[in-house]
Amino acid sequence: MTVRKGKRLAISIQEHMAIDVCPGPIRPIRQISAYFPRLSPGSAGHGGGAAGGSGTSGLLSPAAAAGGGSLSAMSSMDTSIEIDSCDSDDNTSLGTLEFDLLYEKATSSLHCTVLRAKGLKPMDFNGLADPYVKLHLLPGACKANKLKTKIVRNTLNPVWNETLTYCGITEEDMYRKTLRVSVCDEDKLTHNEFIGESRVALRRVKPDQTKHFNICLEHPPPLPSPTAMSTALRGISCYLREWETEQQRSLEERGRLLLCLQYLPPRARGGLCVGVKRCAHLAAMDVNGYSDPYVKTYLKPDIQKKSKHKTAVLKKTLNPEFNEEFFYEISFSELATKTLEVTVWDYDLGKSNDFIGGVSLGCHSQGDTLQHWIDCLKNKGKKVERWHTLTNELPGSTTHE
């Protein structure tokens, strides 16, 4: 190729369309000539003579010119070194976790035995971590819904052999809930760091059969960000996110209540015996992250409120055990027209008590609540126990005392 003085070098369309297709993060190209090297004007004639006098192409391949080839090779080498040396969290192994799940149908309890972890990602300056495992039932946002193991210090291969138990887990829960198992690193001076997680659909676990899991930890699923969308969709996205948050709050479980119902035939003293056994996973109502719960029962309609019964108040707990029984003297025919209302409250000294949740049992109930009531009426003289999910509001009742 011959270069004349005063004329600009023409750049081919190929050079304009050059694309860096190397894997890894996108990096700015310092000089595009590093990918398509061009001989200097002083050596251009030599390159043209070596090519047999053909000046049709201003580009030299690595095989056509030694200088250009070495430059291209060096450029490629530099690029590959930069890409390989890039530390990407996406390509870093987070480790594996081994645990067992067992659902006991008779006791409505879910047992998670956390065994061990291997090859965890280092989180501390010493190249180790202080890992612990945290369990969280989804959906569910209350503090009592989260369980965690002990902390094992300075290791990437911790062994726990610790069993964490959820009480009040029904068969419906096993079908619709998901267990989130996450591994975290404990830091005394700063916030605890997240290492990795895994999510298990509980419907994969069969009743009364232990299922073993050995899974790879993963990053949490990313949440869609409105900033990544176009301007026209940001408003809609923000609105949908707020609406979804409100829905989540309205569907948030307030806890579980274990009730025992028994109708005694009218031999000496007929009536309904209500046993308040225990609660599980109650919502925290106090600033210390706990509640001071007690249970109140009514047999409605009751205008004069003579059917009111209350359990003792248990301090600072989200999983109280009451084991108290209340008796209502009533005929069987009259009981069929009544509704048993059971509510759980948080006791506050000097101000109004906070409503946690409740459940209504009667002929107008639905689902498991109706089934529990019918079983009580059919099986006279027998105790019928069942766990119930507490709801925020009860039909036809007020949530204040």
Side-chain angles (χ1 to χ4, degrees):
M1 182 180 69
T2 303
V3 179
R4 296 182 181 180
K5 186 176 180 180
K7 289 190 176 182
R8 300 175 59 184
L9 294 175
I11 301 177
S12 66
I13 189 63
Q14 294 176 338
E15 186 166 355
H16 281 292
M17 299 178 63
I19 300 175
D20 182 13
V21 295
C22 296
I26 300 176
R27 297 180 180 274
I29 301 175
R30 289 187 294 270
Q31 290 183 354
I32 203 169
S33 60
Y35 293 88
F36 293 91
R38 184 184 302 276
L39 293 181
S40 62
S43 59
H46 176 71
S54 174
T56 57
S57 176
L59 296 175
L60 294 180
S61 64
S70 61
L71 181 59
S72 179
M74 289 177 61
S75 175
S76 300
M77 186 182 300
D78 293 340
T79 305
S80 62
I81 291 175
E82 291 178 358
I83 293 172
D84 292 340
S85 63
C86 177
D87 185 14
S88 175
D89 288 339
D90 295 335
N91 298 326
T92 304
S93 174
L94 302 178
T96 61
L97 180 65
E98 194 172 351
F99 60 94
D100 294 334
L101 289 180
L102 171 63
Y103 174 64
E104 292 184 354
K105 186 176 179 180
T107 59
S108 298
S109 57
L110 175 66
H111 306 280
C112 178
T113 302
V114 183
L115 301 175
R116 63 185 63 86
K118 294 182 180 180
L120 295 180
K121 180 182 177 182
M123 305 299 291
D124 298 336
F125 290 111
N126 58 3
L128 301 174
D130 302 318
Y132 65 93
V133 176
K134 185 168 59 176
L135 304 181
H136 187 191
L137 275 179
L138 303 175
C142 63
K143 180 179 178 180
N145 203 14
K146 301 175 183 178
L147 305 176
K148 69 176 185 177
T149 65
K150 60 185 179 182
I151 300 170
V152 182
R153 301 288 179 183
N154 296 326
T155 180
L156 299 180
N157 300 283
V159 177
W160 289 283
N161 288 327
E162 187 174 347
T163 300
L164 305 176
T165 301
Y166 282 103
C167 298
I169 304 300
T170 63
E171 294 184 62
E172 181 184 359
D173 293 329
M174 295 298 295
Y175 179 77
R176 69 183 183 89
K177 282 186 175 291
T178 298
L179 180 65
R180 180 193 182 196
V181 186
S182 55
V183 181
C184 301
D185 169 60
E186 195 260 355
D187 282 326
K188 294 182 179 180
L189 301 179
T190 60
H191 296 289
N192 296 342
E193 296 181 294
F194 176 84
I195 298 178
E197 71 167 32
S198 180
R199 304 192 181 196
V200 178
L202 294 184
R203 59 177 173 268
R204 298 174 55 187
V205 181
K206 297 182 179 180
D208 302 318
Q209 295 184 17
T210 301
K211 188 172 181 61
H212 182 74
F213 293 88
N214 190 1
I215 49 87
C216 293
L217 297 175
E218 302 174 350
H219 293 278
L223 296 176
S225 175
T227 58
M229 303 178 183
S230 63
T231 306
L233 294 179
R234 288 180 187 176
I236 299 177
S237 175
C238 293
Y239 168 77
L240 292 177
R241 178 168 293 186
E242 292 178 0
W243 177 84
E244 185 177 345
T245 302
E246 291 297 325
Q247 291 294 109
Q248 189 74 14
R249 290 177 181 174
S250 63
L251 295 176
E252 178 184 338
E253 295 182 358
R254 310 291 289 179
R256 296 295 173 88
L257 173 66
L258 179 59
L259 285 179
C260 176
L261 300 183
Q262 181 184 18
Y263 180 77
L264 300 177
R267 296 175 183 174
R269 185 187 181 195
L272 176 66
C273 183
V274 180
V276 180
K277 296 295 184 179
R278 60 183 301 185
C279 294
H281 320 145
L282 291 181
M285 307 301 291
D286 298 336
V287 293
N288 58 6
Y290 294 97
S291 293
D292 303 321
Y294 67 93
V295 178
K296 185 174 61 175
T297 64
Y298 278 107
L299 195 59
K300 294 186 174 182
D302 181 21
I303 300 176
Q304 298 180 353
K305 294 187 177 181
K306 293 183 178 181
S307 64
K308 177 181 177 180
H309 290 290
K310 294 172 63 174
T311 67
V313 178
L314 300 183
K315 297 290 186 178
K316 292 184 180 181
T317 179
L318 300 178
N319 298 278
E321 293 189 20
F322 298 101
N323 293 320
E324 297 189 33
E325 290 186 350
F326 307 114
F327 183 78
Y328 294 99
E329 188 173 355
I330 188 173
S331 64
F332 186 79
S333 58
E334 189 179 1
L335 184 62
T337 63
K338 295 286 186 175
T339 298
L340 177 66
E341 181 181 284
V342 185
T343 54
V344 184
W345 298 78
D346 168 57
Y347 175 79
D348 286 324
L349 182 62
K351 58 180 182 179
S352 299
N353 298 331
D354 297 321
F355 175 74
I356 298 179
V359 61
S360 295
L361 297 93
C363 296
H364 300 289
S365 304
Q366 296 179 352
D368 291 342
T369 307
L370 176 61
Q371 188 62 46
H372 193 189
W373 184 255
I374 293 177
D375 290 342
C376 170
L377 300 182
K378 285 184 177 180
N379 300 280
K380 298 178 182 179
K382 295 183 180 181
K383 293 185 177 181
V384 184
E385 287 187 355
R386 189 181 292 269
W387 283 94
H388 295 278
T389 301
L390 301 177
T391 57
N392 292 330
E393 296 182 0
L394 299 178
S397 67
T398 58
T399 56
H400 59 83
E401 293 188 297

